């Protein structure tokens, strides 16, 4: 009981530190993209007709600002709170897999990671919400909770439509690694994906069609713009990888490499990291920086892997 109490005291202290660090940047002026999201909150744009994005971030933003008012601080605070929730889920995941010590280190690494600090303050992207439900999907998948995995996956799709392309390969690869049954793994992945797609259809696709909003087309088609087909696009991708490695820092870059020898223990995390990187590099043709979306969703898994090595 005493050890449990100490664990929760330390975890609470880490969460307070997380909030304090992000509080330093809470009142930074909006950039151009963030001004669109501020306008979305002001006019209560529940269906993405202003920002042209999948709606879950908009739901959180509008609900929070409806209670506390629309300002730079309240808009940024919405995503800071979601990022803190991500750290809590990550700690739960790490504790389940590796114990309390690893859970605390994983939470601390996320709290002070420059990329997580930067991305969790962004008020114009879906990175924070997507990361929360991405790691929650992995947590329930590792616990073999099919229904809860489908729900978390569905919320991830509502956070960012690209989750519909990233998560199914992760689910299939993990199930196949565990059960070694191709057809059964494919069948279960298909069922989970179909169930998870229902909220996306009901709460985003249909409203977009009815309201004639370009959000649906924008959120999917822009992933496959032709820019990366050019040599400039490829160079841009390479530069982004270097940029992302810089923001990840040496801990999240080198410790996972050391952990590769014990990858079986972190199987689901390595699958998630490798699949996400391959998705961005091979499938998506969007050459804009993926810092706040694609790279941010790697952080919980990298934190857990790295924490185990400390």
């Amino acid at each position: 009981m005493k050890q449990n109490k100490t664990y929760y005291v330390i975890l609470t202290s880490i969460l307070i530190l997380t909030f304090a660090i992000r509080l330093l940047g809470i009142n930074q002026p909006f950039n151009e993209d963030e001004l669109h999201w501020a306008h979305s909150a002001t006019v209560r744009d529940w269906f993405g007709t202003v920002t042209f994005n999948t709606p879950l971030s908009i739901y959180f933003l509008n609900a929070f600002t409806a209670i506390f008012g629309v300002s730079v601080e309240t808009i940024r605070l919405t995503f800071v709170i979601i990022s803190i929730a991500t750290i809590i889920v990550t700690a739960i995941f790490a504790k389940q897999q590796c114990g309390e010590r690893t859970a605390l280190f994983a939470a601390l690494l996320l709290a002070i990671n420059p990329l997580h600090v930067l991305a969790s303050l962004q008020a114009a992207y879906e990175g924070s919400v997507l990361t929360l439900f991405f790691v929650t999907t992995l947590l329930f998948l590792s616990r073999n909770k099919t229904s809860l995995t489908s729900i978390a996956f569905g919320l991830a799709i509502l956070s960012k439509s690209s989750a519909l392309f990233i998560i199914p390969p992760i689910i299939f690869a993990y199930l196949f690694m565990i059960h070694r049954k191709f057809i059964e793994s494919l069948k279960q992945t298909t069922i989970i994906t179909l169930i998870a797609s229902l909220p996306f259809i009901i709460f985003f696709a249909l409203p977009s069609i009815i309201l004639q909003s370009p959000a649906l087309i924008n959120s999917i088609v822009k992933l496959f713009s032709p820019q990366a087909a050019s040599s400039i696009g490829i160079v841009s991708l390479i530069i982004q990888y270097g940029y992302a490695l810089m923001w990840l820092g040496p801990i999240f870059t080198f410790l996972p490499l050391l952990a590769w020898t014990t990858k079986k223990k972190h199987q689901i995390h390595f699958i998630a990291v490798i699949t996400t990187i391959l998705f961005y590099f091979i499938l998506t043709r969007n050459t804009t920086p993926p810092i706040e979306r694609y790279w941010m969703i790697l952080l919980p898994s990298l934190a857990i892997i790295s924490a185990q090595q400390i």
Side-chain angles (χ1 to χ4, degrees):
M1 180 64 73
K2 183 178 180 181
Q3 186 179 6
N4 247 352
K5 183 178 179 181
T6 302
Y7 167 76
Y8 288 112
V9 169
I10 297 174
L11 180 59
T12 301
S13 300
I14 292 173
L15 296 178
I16 293 172
L17 174 65
T18 302
F19 182 75
I21 293 173
R22 285 147 185 79
L23 195 62
L24 297 174
I26 204 77
N27 62 350
Q28 292 298 307
F30 288 137
N31 60 38
E32 183 178 353
D33 288 336
E34 290 174 322
L35 288 173
H36 293 292
W37 283 71
H39 177 61
S40 174
T42 302
V43 301
R44 297 287 178 264
D45 171 39
W46 291 96
F47 298 105
T49 55
V50 173
T51 59
F52 304 156
N53 284 298
T54 37
L56 200 56
S57 295
I58 298 171
Y59 293 166
F60 282 120
L61 177 62
N62 286 350
F64 193 80
T65 55
I67 298 172
F68 298 101
V70 179
S71 67
V72 173
E73 291 80 9
T74 56
I75 290 175
R76 292 200 189 282
L77 187 59
T78 304
F79 300 105
V80 169
I81 292 173
I82 292 168
S83 297
I84 292 174
T86 301
I87 293 179
I88 294 173
V89 174
T90 301
I92 293 171
F93 203 166
K95 185 171 181 285
Q96 166 194 298
Q97 287 192 313
C98 308
E100 294 179 353
R101 181 180 182 276
T102 299
L104 292 175
F105 272 113
L108 179 61
L109 289 175
L110 278 183
I112 63 176
N113 179 264
L115 177 53
H116 194 270
V117 174
L118 171 73
S120 62
L121 282 167
Q122 295 297 307
Y125 303 107
E126 313 89 336
S128 296
V129 181
L130 174 60
T131 304
L132 171 60
F133 292 113
F134 184 83
V135 68
T136 304
T137 302
L138 298 183
L139 172 61
F140 290 137
L141 178 62
S142 70
R143 291 182 174 181
N144 198 29
K145 304 289 187 181
T146 303
S147 298
L148 293 176
T149 300
S150 299
I151 293 172
F153 180 14
L155 292 172
I157 299 173
L158 279 176
S159 305
K160 184 68 179 173
S161 56
S162 57
L164 185 58
F165 303 97
I166 299 174
I167 294 180
I170 296 173
I171 295 175
F172 171 76
Y174 177 72
L175 292 176
F176 181 71
M177 290 288 186
I178 295 299
H179 303 297
R180 300 294 178 180
K181 296 180 179 179
F182 182 89
I183 299 299
E184 183 63 29
S185 300
L186 183 61
K187 179 181 176 182
Q188 192 170 351
T189 300
T190 303
I191 292 173
I192 291 173
T193 302
L194 290 174
I195 295 173
S197 300
L198 290 177
F200 177 80
I201 295 171
I202 295 171
F203 295 105
F204 181 57
L206 289 179
S208 294
I209 294 171
I210 293 171
L211 295 173
Q212 297 182 335
S213 167
L216 177 62
I217 296 175
N218 180 76
S219 65
I220 296 177
V221 173
K222 70 180 181 181
L223 289 171
F224 305 99
S225 74
Q227 297 174 22
S230 67
S231 58
I232 295 177
I234 294 173
V235 171
S236 175
L237 286 175
I238 294 173
I239 292 173
Q240 286 177 48
Y241 272 82
Y243 183 48
L245 287 174
M246 178 188 72
W247 278 104
L248 285 176
I251 292 178
F252 281 11
T253 301
F254 296 112
L255 288 184
L257 294 177
L258 293 176
W260 181 254
T261 55
T262 58
K263 60 181 178 296
K264 188 172 182 179
K265 188 168 188 177
H266 301 294
Q267 199 171 53
I268 192 169
H269 300 299
F270 278 112
I271 290 172
V273 170
I274 294 171
T275 301
T276 303
I277 292 175
L278 289 176
F279 166 81
Y280 181 74
F281 192 73
I282 297 175
L283 296 182
T284 184
R285 302 295 182 88
N286 189 349
T287 57
T288 55
I291 291 297
E292 78 293 333
R293 299 186 187 99
Y294 302 116
W295 293 109
M296 189 178 183
I297 65 177
L298 301 178
L299 295 182
S301 288
L302 291 175
I304 293 173
I305 296 171
S306 301
Q308 179 65 18
Q309 301 303 306
I310 297 175

Coordinates of all heavy atoms in Angstrom, one line a residue, residues 235-266:
V235 N 13.2 15.0 -51.1 CA 14.2 15.8 -50.3 C 13.5 16.4 -49.1 O 14.0 16.3 -48.0 CB 14.8 16.9 -51.2 CG1 15.7 17.8 -50.3 CG2 15.7 16.3 -52.2
S236 N 12.3 16.9 -49.3 CA 11.5 17.4 -48.2 C 11.2 16.4 -47.1 O 11.4 16.7 -45.9 CB 10.2 18.0 -48.7 OG 9.4 18.5 -47.6
L237 N 10.9 15.2 -47.5 CA 10.6 14.1 -46.6 C 11.9 13.8 -45.8 O 11.8 13.6 -44.6 CB 10.1 12.9 -47.3 CG 8.7 12.9 -47.8 CD1 8.4 11.6 -48.6 CD2 7.7 13.0 -46.7
I238 N 13.0 13.7 -46.5 CA 14.3 13.4 -45.8 C 14.6 14.5 -44.8 O 15.1 14.2 -43.6 CB 15.4 13.3 -46.8 CG1 15.2 12.0 -47.7 CG2 16.8 13.1 -46.1 CD1 16.1 11.9 -48.9
I239 N 14.4 15.7 -45.2 CA 14.7 16.9 -44.3 C 13.8 16.8 -43.0 O 14.2 17.0 -41.9 CB 14.5 18.2 -45.0 CG1 15.5 18.4 -46.0 CG2 14.5 19.4 -44.0 CD1 15.3 19.6 -46.9
Q240 N 12.5 16.4 -43.3 CA 11.6 16.3 -42.1 C 12.0 15.2 -41.2 O 11.8 15.3 -40.0 CB 10.2 16.0 -42.7 CG 9.5 17.1 -43.3 CD 8.2 16.8 -43.9 OE1 7.4 16.1 -43.2 NE2 7.9 17.2 -45.1
Y241 N 12.5 14.1 -41.7 CA 13.0 13.0 -40.8 C 14.2 13.5 -39.9 O 14.2 13.2 -38.7 CB 13.4 11.8 -41.6 CG 12.3 10.8 -41.9 CD1 11.4 11.1 -42.9 CD2 12.1 9.7 -41.0 CE1 10.3 10.2 -43.1 CE2 11.0 8.9 -41.3 CZ 10.1 9.1 -42.3 OH 9.0 8.3 -42.5
G242 N 15.1 14.2 -40.5 CA 16.1 14.8 -39.7 C 15.6 15.8 -38.7 O 16.1 15.8 -37.6
Y243 N 14.6 16.6 -39.1 CA 14.0 17.6 -38.2 C 13.3 16.9 -37.1 O 13.4 17.3 -35.9 CB 13.1 18.4 -39.1 CG 12.4 19.5 -38.3 CD1 13.1 20.4 -37.5 CD2 11.0 19.7 -38.4 CE1 12.4 21.4 -36.8 CE2 10.3 20.8 -37.8 CZ 11.1 21.6 -37.0 OH 10.4 22.6 -36.3
A244 N 12.6 15.8 -37.4 CA 11.9 15.1 -36.4 C 12.8 14.4 -35.4 O 12.6 14.4 -34.2 CB 11.0 14.0 -37.0
L245 N 13.9 13.8 -35.9 CA 14.9 13.2 -35.0 C 15.5 14.2 -34.1 O 15.8 13.9 -32.9 CB 16.0 12.5 -35.8 CG 15.6 11.2 -36.6 CD1 16.8 10.8 -37.5 CD2 15.2 10.1 -35.6
M246 N 15.7 15.4 -34.5 CA 16.2 16.5 -33.7 C 15.3 16.8 -32.6 O 15.7 16.9 -31.4 CB 16.5 17.7 -34.5 CG 17.0 18.9 -33.7 SD 17.0 20.5 -34.7 CE 15.3 20.8 -34.8
W247 N 14.0 16.8 -32.9 CA 13.0 17.1 -31.8 C 12.7 15.9 -30.9 O 12.4 16.1 -29.7 CB 11.7 17.6 -32.5 CG 11.7 19.0 -32.9 CD1 11.8 19.5 -34.1 CD2 11.5 20.1 -32.0 NE1 11.8 20.9 -34.1 CE2 11.6 21.3 -32.8 CE3 11.4 20.2 -30.6 CZ2 11.5 22.6 -32.2 CZ3 11.3 21.5 -30.1 CH2 11.4 22.7 -30.9
L248 N 12.9 14.7 -31.4 CA 12.8 13.6 -30.6 C 13.8 13.5 -29.5 O 13.6 13.1 -28.4 CB 12.8 12.3 -31.4 CG 11.6 11.9 -32.3 CD1 11.9 10.7 -33.1 CD2 10.4 11.7 -31.4
G249 N 15.0 13.9 -29.9 CA 16.1 14.0 -28.9 C 16.8 12.6 -28.8 O 16.3 11.6 -29.3
P250 N 18.0 12.6 -28.2 CA 18.8 11.4 -28.1 C 18.2 10.3 -27.4 O 18.3 9.1 -27.7 CB 20.1 11.9 -27.4 CG 19.7 13.1 -26.7 CD 18.7 13.8 -27.6
I251 N 17.4 10.6 -26.3 CA 16.7 9.5 -25.5 C 15.8 8.7 -26.3 O 15.8 7.5 -26.4 CB 16.1 10.1 -24.3 CG1 17.1 10.7 -23.3 CG2 15.2 9.1 -23.6 CD1 16.5 11.4 -22.1
F252 N 14.9 9.4 -27.0 CA 13.8 8.7 -27.8 C 14.4 8.2 -29.1 O 13.7 7.5 -29.8 CB 12.7 9.7 -28.1 CG 11.7 9.8 -27.0 CD1 12.0 9.4 -25.7 CD2 10.5 10.5 -27.1 CE1 11.2 9.5 -24.6 CE2 9.6 10.6 -26.1 CZ 10.0 10.1 -24.8
T253 N 15.6 8.5 -29.5 CA 16.2 8.0 -30.7 C 17.1 6.8 -30.5 O 16.9 5.8 -31.1 CB 17.1 9.1 -31.4 OG1 16.3 10.3 -31.7 CG2 17.7 8.6 -32.7
F254 N 17.9 6.9 -29.4 CA 18.9 5.8 -29.2 C 18.5 4.7 -28.3 O 18.8 3.5 -28.5 CB 20.3 6.4 -28.8 CG 20.9 7.3 -29.8 CD1 21.0 8.7 -29.5 CD2 21.3 6.8 -31.0 CE1 21.5 9.5 -30.5 CE2 21.9 7.7 -31.9 CZ 22.0 9.0 -31.7
L255 N 17.7 5.1 -27.2 CA 17.3 4.0 -26.3 C 16.4 3.0 -26.9 O 16.5 1.8 -26.6 CB 16.6 4.6 -25.1 CG 17.6 5.4 -24.1 CD1 16.8 5.9 -22.9 CD2 18.7 4.5 -23.7
P256 N 15.5 3.4 -27.8 CA 14.7 2.3 -28.5 C 15.5 1.4 -29.4 O 15.2 0.2 -29.5 CB 13.7 3.1 -29.4 CG 13.5 4.4 -28.6 CD 14.9 4.7 -28.1
L257 N 16.7 1.9 -29.9 CA 17.6 1.0 -30.7 C 18.2 0.0 -29.8 O 18.4 -1.2 -30.1 CB 18.6 1.9 -31.4 CG 18.1 2.8 -32.5 CD1 19.3 3.7 -33.0 CD2 17.4 2.1 -33.6
L258 N 18.6 0.4 -28.6 CA 19.1 -0.5 -27.6 C 18.1 -1.5 -27.2 O 18.5 -2.7 -26.8 CB 19.6 0.3 -26.3 CG 20.8 1.2 -26.5 CD1 21.1 2.0 -25.2 CD2 22.1 0.4 -27.0
A259 N 16.8 -1.1 -27.1 CA 15.8 -2.0 -26.7 C 15.4 -3.1 -27.7 O 14.6 -4.0 -27.5 CB 14.5 -1.2 -26.3
W260 N 15.9 -2.9 -29.0 CA 15.6 -3.8 -30.0 C 15.9 -5.3 -29.7 O 15.2 -6.2 -30.1 CB 16.3 -3.4 -31.3 CG 15.9 -4.3 -32.5 CD1 16.7 -5.3 -33.1 CD2 14.7 -4.3 -33.2 NE1 16.0 -5.8 -34.1 CE2 14.8 -5.2 -34.3 CE3 13.5 -3.5 -33.1 CZ2 13.7 -5.5 -35.2 CZ3 12.5 -3.7 -34.0 CH2 12.6 -4.7 -35.0
T261 N 16.9 -5.5 -28.9 CA 17.2 -6.9 -28.5 C 16.2 -7.5 -27.6 O 16.1 -8.7 -27.5 CB 18.6 -6.9 -27.8 OG1 18.5 -6.0 -26.7 CG2 19.7 -6.5 -28.7
T262 N 15.4 -6.7 -27.0 CA 14.3 -7.2 -26.1 C 12.9 -6.8 -26.7 O 12.0 -6.5 -26.0 CB 14.4 -6.7 -24.7 OG1 14.4 -5.2 -24.7 CG2 15.7 -7.1 -24.0
K263 N 12.9 -6.8 -28.0 CA 11.7 -6.2 -28.7 C 10.4 -7.0 -28.4 O 9.3 -6.5 -28.6 CB 11.9 -6.1 -30.2 CG 12.2 -7.4 -30.9 CD 12.5 -7.2 -32.4 CE 12.8 -8.4 -33.1 NZ 14.1 -9.0 -32.7
K264 N 10.5 -8.3 -28.1 CA 9.4 -9.1 -27.8 C 8.5 -8.5 -26.7 O 7.3 -8.5 -26.8 CB 9.7 -10.5 -27.5 CG 8.6 -11.5 -27.4 CD 9.0 -12.9 -27.3 CE 7.8 -13.8 -27.3 NZ 8.2 -15.3 -27.2
K265 N 9.2 -7.9 -25.7 CA 8.4 -7.4 -24.6 C 7.7 -6.1 -25.0 O 6.6 -5.8 -24.5 CB 9.4 -7.0 -23.4 CG 8.7 -6.6 -22.1 CD 9.7 -6.6 -21.0 CE 9.0 -6.3 -19.7 NZ 9.9 -6.4 -18.5
H266 N 8.3 -5.4 -26.0 CA 7.7 -4.2 -26.5 C 7.1 -4.3 -27.9 O 7.1 -3.4 -28.7 CB 8.7 -3.0 -26.5 CG 9.3 -2.8 -25.1 ND1 8.5 -2.3 -24.1 CD2 10.5 -2.9 -24.6 CE1 9.3 -2.1 -23.0 NE2 10.5 -2.5 -23.3

